């Protein structure tokens, strides 16, 4: 017996109900009866064929990647490994345009609800006249559109491989990372090929690349051609780190940059916010009710310093920002999250540089790997640029 939604074949995870056998591995997503014949309904193909409209043009590196995606995605799965801020959304526009023109159904899967809403909004401006449908908590009544953007948790609605092309953003992050059931549910939406986007491919994908099961496309150059900011690492006793943090804030507050401080726990967030209240600060954690309001206040500079847990490591772009990670050696920060955090700095053409400081009270493999990886990407970028000049 096999669950056609999550591929579970473990007998102990099937149970009997009054209507028939169901799968317990994915029952959290609504119970389905396994023996029932599933009527495969293809997603209605797009009806609109608008060209994409951007106010700026892609770099030659981005154009090359876009072309490679369109040339190969109908023959193989692809992993697009782009450094933070390389403009991954821009590089999928040509593929979306092609799908719209050739009436190929396409689904975009994104981890966070807020980002689903933002990308949907953005795509509806880029593809004028097209219906872009976001599907996430609070937006589940309409499942039709030319372009569907959904959280991974909503993909259970689309079992039976109804989309020809599926784009999956941030495969290396929560909630997809390490969740086999959810990964299978996403893959089972797709009848042809998947395009995965990531800034930090994990073991699973590195193995797939090694075994030629997936095509790798890599971009190490941000659109503004500046290097990625390499974090400065300070290793000292914890009470000394408070002093370093104080100095960082005091020095950076003189510039027009925002100051974003990542901390490992909610408790520490509150503590630092209290300690440094003199600097006009606030904090943001998964428990914060008015997240949008606080982010807006920070962007508008009504707050100088924002303390945050890893909740802000991805998906949010601030124009001029310096970043510090307090206790970067804490176990909640792994290589991938530290790369994302450092990648918050210098994303915009208007502000391509900034400061990034990692404060540690112990040696951490993850911190070392992160720094090494960023330096490696910069080296790769330099050799590519010099080769092309
Ligand atoms: Zn299942």
């Amino acid at each position: 017996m096999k669950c056609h939604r999550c591929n579970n074949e473990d007998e102990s995870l099937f149970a009997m109900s009054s209507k028939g056998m169901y799968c317990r591995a994915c029952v959290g997503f609504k119970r389905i009866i396994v023996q029932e014949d599933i009527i495969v309904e293809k997603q209605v193909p797009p009806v609109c064929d608008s060209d994409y409209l951007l106010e700026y043009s892609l770099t030659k590196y981005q154009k090359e990647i876009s072309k490679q995606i369109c040339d190969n995605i109908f023959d193989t799965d692809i992993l697009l490994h782009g450094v933070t801020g390389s403009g991954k959304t821009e590089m999928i526009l040509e593929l979306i345009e092609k799908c719209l023109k050739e009436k190929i159904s396409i689904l975009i899967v994104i981890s966070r609800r807020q980002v689903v809403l933002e990308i949907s909004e953005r795509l509806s401006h880029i593809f004028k006249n097209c219906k872009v449908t976001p599907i996430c908590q609070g937006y589940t009544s309409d499942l039709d559109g030319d372009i569907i953007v959904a959280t991974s948790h909503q993909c259970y609605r689309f079992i039976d491989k109804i989309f020809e092309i599926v784009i999956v953003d941030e495969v290396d992050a929560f909630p997809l990372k390490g969740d086999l059931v959810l990964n299978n549910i996403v893959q089972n939406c797709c009848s042809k090929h998947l395009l995965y986007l990531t800034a930090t491919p994990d073991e699973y994908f590195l193995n797939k690349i090694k075994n030629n099961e997936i095509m790798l496309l890599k971009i190490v150059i941000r659109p503004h051609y500046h290097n990625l900011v390499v974090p400065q690492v300070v290793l000292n006793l914890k009470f000394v780190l408070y002093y370093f943090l104080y100095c960082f804030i005091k020095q950076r507050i003189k510039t027009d940059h925002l100051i974003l401080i990542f901390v490992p726990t909610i408790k520490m967030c509150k503590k630092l916010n209290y300690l440094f209240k003199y600097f006009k600060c606030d904090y943001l954690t998964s428990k914060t009710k008015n997240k949008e309001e606080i982010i807006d206040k920070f962007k508008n500079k009504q707050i100088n310093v924002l303390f945050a847990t890893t909740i802000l490591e991805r998906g949010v772009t601030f124009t001029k920002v310096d970043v510090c990670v307090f206790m970067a050696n804490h176990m909640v920060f792994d290589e991938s999250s530290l790369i994302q955090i450092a990648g918050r700095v210098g994303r915009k053409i208007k502000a391509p540089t900034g400061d990034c400081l990692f404060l540690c009270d112990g040696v951490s493999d993850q911190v070392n790997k992160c720094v090494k990886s960023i330096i490696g990407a910069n080296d790769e970028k330099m050799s590519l640029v010099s080769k092309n000049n």
Side-chain angles (χ1 to χ4, degrees), residues 45-50 70 74 94-105 164 192:
V47 286
C48 157
D49 64 353
S50 131
C70 290
F74 298 97
E94 199 178 321
L95 173 64
I96 299 175
E97 186 183 279
K98 187 178 163 83
C99 288
L100 292 173
K101 287 197 169 145
E102 297 177 15
K103 311 284 175 233
I104 296 164
S105 54
E164 290 181 64
K192 288 207 171 108

Side-chain angles (χ1 to χ4, degrees), residues 2-8 13-14 22-27 32 34 181 185:
K2 183 176 175 181
C3 171
H4 50 79
R5 183 163 68 184
C6 75
N7 300 359
N8 166 40
L13 289 177
F14 290 102
Y22 68 93
C23 169
R24 290 197 298 129
C26 64
V27 71
I32 46 167
V34 178
V181 168
I185 289 176

